[in-house]
Amino acid sequence: MKELILNYTREDLESKVKPKFRAKQIYNWIYHKRVDSFLDMKNIPQNLREELNEKYTIYSSQIVSKQISKDGSIKYLFKLHDGHTVEAVLLLMKDTQYNEDGSVKHLQKFTVCVSSQVGCKVGCAFCLTAKGGFIRDLEAGEIVEQILQIYKDNNIDSNRRVNIVYMGMGEPLDNLVNLTKAIKVFSEQDGLAISTQRQTVSTSGLSSKIEKLAKLDLGINLAISLHAVDDELRQKLMPINKAYNIASIMEAVRNFPINLRKKVMFEYLIIKDINDDLESAKKLVKLLNGIPSKVNLIYFNPYEGSPFKRPTQEDVKKFQKYLLDKGVICTIRESKGLDISAACGQLREQNF
Ligand code: SAH
Ligand code: SF4
């Protein structure tokens, strides 16, 4: 397998090609003009084009299926070079709005949810991805490629503001080196220029890795998949809690460089009769005390054979109201792409 050029930040690339300014041109061909082959990079000298072509590849994955939801979200299944598959989802957050004269008032808003691993080691009881076990980490370039292919497939302009959430398959902090590479590549000014402030890493709470990420001070947003407020229940739902309990996560979050405008997001998956009671809401308020945080409530999405049930809307609303009354910012996640199983926790490897 040739090396993936999408693994490289601009600086990495500058150390590989001479003279250095070729790196900027190559970035432009890849991320703006989106050529498929180095041989088409017209302002690059022929010998360098051929050398690049021998050593590297631009694309290494193929889109093998695409499902479009009623709400406009699109779920992509990518086949990687070794035959494994991962999913990524283009979420349409808001439709384009027009003024009376037909001119555009607000352009539609996109968020892309990307995968960081094939499968996952964490093994949460409620998660479909966990069912297939862990297969391998994705290379940085394979993470980058999910977005680049989605841009290409939808003709999304490279200057558009797009948000990235690392909430697809896998535990991003379990693949920290490649994850940070991908974060940097996405934020390159000559590339897609997706600022780190528009990128959110969601983790099941690997405290030691949260601390490492904090030290890198990338400016990204952090989301913690909390889901339970006491260790006993959390351990049952998320075995990782044995290694990193709630207190250790809170400690790591307190030391994280928090973007005060965005805050740390705490994801709380509500499962019927398991953690949907107001006693849990009360404990949650206590836990978050003093942390610039916001809570995102997620309905458990059942899948075939899942041991848990979706909570009632009434209970979720009550839970939200309790938090809001206590002054905690709290939203309920809209389940995008529910009809195409593109919603959270419904991504898994597929045969086709
Ligand atoms: N591994 C990371 C990121 C991927 S999972 C993490 O756990 O944070 C993304 C989100 O989907 C997590 O908050 C996860 O708890 C949630 N999720 C998993 N299974 C789900 C299900 N069946 N229904 C709803 N959300 C689920
Ligand atoms: Fe892994 Fe996240 Fe699923 Fe847990 S919820 S098994 S950490 S992908």
Side-chain angles (χ1 to χ4, degrees):
M1 222 317 263
K2 292 185 206 171
E3 208 163 331
L4 311 185
I5 199 128
L6 303 184
N7 279 337
Y8 296 143
T9 60
R10 237 246 6 239
E11 207 184 332
D12 295 336
L13 201 52
E14 281 177 355
S15 67
K16 310 260 175 210
V17 293
K18 290 200 173 43
K20 265 175 29 178
F21 71 85
R22 295 283 176 217
K24 186 183 169 83
Q25 293 175 321
I26 295 168
Y27 246 72
N28 189 39
W29 281 110
I30 295 175
Y31 293 100
H32 290 257
K33 300 202 179 97
R34 299 185 194 146
V35 291
D36 292 318
S37 162
F38 293 103
L39 303 175
D40 295 334
M41 299 183 170
K42 298 205 174 56
N43 58 356
I44 306 284
Q46 184 69 20
N47 56 351
L48 180 56
R49 275 192 246 173
E50 282 168 12
E51 193 187 318
L52 290 168
N53 195 45
E54 253 163 53
K55 280 195 192 154
Y56 305 106
T57 177
I58 304 179
Y59 292 99
S60 66
S61 320
Q62 272 172 283
I63 294 174
V64 284
S65 84
K66 209 168 122 176
Q67 280 172 278
I68 305 177
S69 159
K70 277 185 228 132
D71 66 28
S73 301
I74 309 176
K75 179 166 83 166
Y76 287 87
L77 183 70
F78 291 97
K79 183 178 163 197
L80 307 172
H81 63 82
D82 59 2
H84 287 300
T85 54
V86 290
E87 293 177 324
V89 189
L90 174 69
L91 299 155
L92 188 62
M93 305 312 275
K94 263 189 200 141
D95 265 329
T96 305
Q97 287 173 10
Y98 297 92
N99 293 314
E100 277 173 21
D101 64 1
S103 59
V104 173
K105 192 170 166 196
H106 296 294
L107 271 176
Q108 57 198 157
K109 281 198 180 155
F110 298 119
T111 292
V112 188
C113 173
V114 292
S115 293
S116 53
Q117 297 178 317
V118 184
C120 183
K121 284 181 203 158
V122 179
C124 300
F126 46 77
C127 174
L128 192 57
T129 299
K131 298 283 169 277
F134 172 74
I135 300 192
R136 72 169 173 90
D137 284 333
L138 292 188
E139 286 186 51
E142 290 174 315
I143 300 175
V144 172
E145 185 169 344
Q146 295 167 48
I147 300 233
L148 188 57
Q149 291 228 26
I150 287 178
Y151 266 63
K152 203 169 163 164
D153 193 51
N154 294 278
N155 233 334
I156 298 175
D157 192 279
S158 300
N159 299 316
R160 279 294 293 284
R161 289 183 164 234
V162 169
N163 297 309
I164 301 177
V165 292
Y166 297 89
M167 293 186 185
M169 290 165 68
E171 167 50 53
L173 297 191
D174 193 29
N175 186 13
L176 188 62
V177 172
N178 294 339
L179 172 81
T180 48
K181 254 282 138 81
I183 291 172
K184 287 181 187 162
V185 172
F186 284 132
S187 67
E188 288 289 2
Q189 281 311 314
D190 295 312
L192 299 178
I194 303 173
S195 127
T196 54
Q197 293 185 24
R198 277 188 276 127
Q199 302 188 42
T200 302
V201 173
S202 174
T203 177
S204 54
L206 280 62
S207 313
S208 63
K209 297 291 181 66
I210 297 174
E211 279 160 12
K212 278 196 180 162
L213 187 65
K215 291 209 179 85
L216 296 172
D217 203 8
L218 298 170
I220 51 120
N221 303 302
L222 185 65
I224 304 285
S225 289
L226 193 64
H227 311 332
V229 287
D230 56 71
D231 284 320
E232 197 188 332
L233 175 61
R234 195 164 191 274
Q235 215 149 294
K236 279 189 197 144
L237 299 176
M238 308 172 76
I240 188 88
N241 198 72
K242 289 196 193 97
Y244 301 107
N245 66 13
I246 298 177
S248 79
I249 297 174
M250 295 323 250
E251 177 66 19
V253 169
R254 282 179 209 276
N255 295 326
F256 196 83
I258 299 172
N259 178 343
L260 288 177
R261 213 165 40 85
K262 300 262 178 87
K263 305 182 166 52
V264 172
M265 188 202 276
F266 284 85
E267 294 162 281
Y268 190 92
L269 175 74
I270 303 198
I271 307 173
K272 187 175 164 56
D273 299 333
I274 302 276
N275 61 357
D276 54 356
D277 55 296
L278 291 186
E279 198 49 42
S280 298
K282 192 171 170 186
K283 284 192 191 158
L284 183 56
V285 173
K286 238 177 145 179
L287 212 53
L288 300 182
N289 190 19
I291 299 178
S293 54
K294 58 184 176 185
V295 173
N296 197 215
L297 301 176
I298 310 169
Y299 281 85
F300 168 71
N301 283 321
Y303 47 88
E304 218 183 285
S306 70
F308 303 115
K309 293 205 176 72
R310 191 177 164 86
T312 63
Q313 193 181 28
E314 195 192 342
D315 284 342
V316 174
K317 286 257 154 85
K318 262 195 218 157
F319 200 100
Q320 181 191 33
K321 184 170 184 311
Y322 184 92
L323 296 181
L324 291 174
D325 286 347
K326 298 285 175 199
V328 176
I329 305 169
C330 176
T331 49
I332 299 176
R333 181 180 296 170
E334 271 181 83
S335 270
K336 298 255 167 212
L338 207 55
D339 54 326
I340 54 167
S341 294
C344 296
Q346 299 200 329
L347 307 181
R348 72 177 309 175
E349 251 215 305
Q350 277 180 18
N351 297 321
F352 50 92

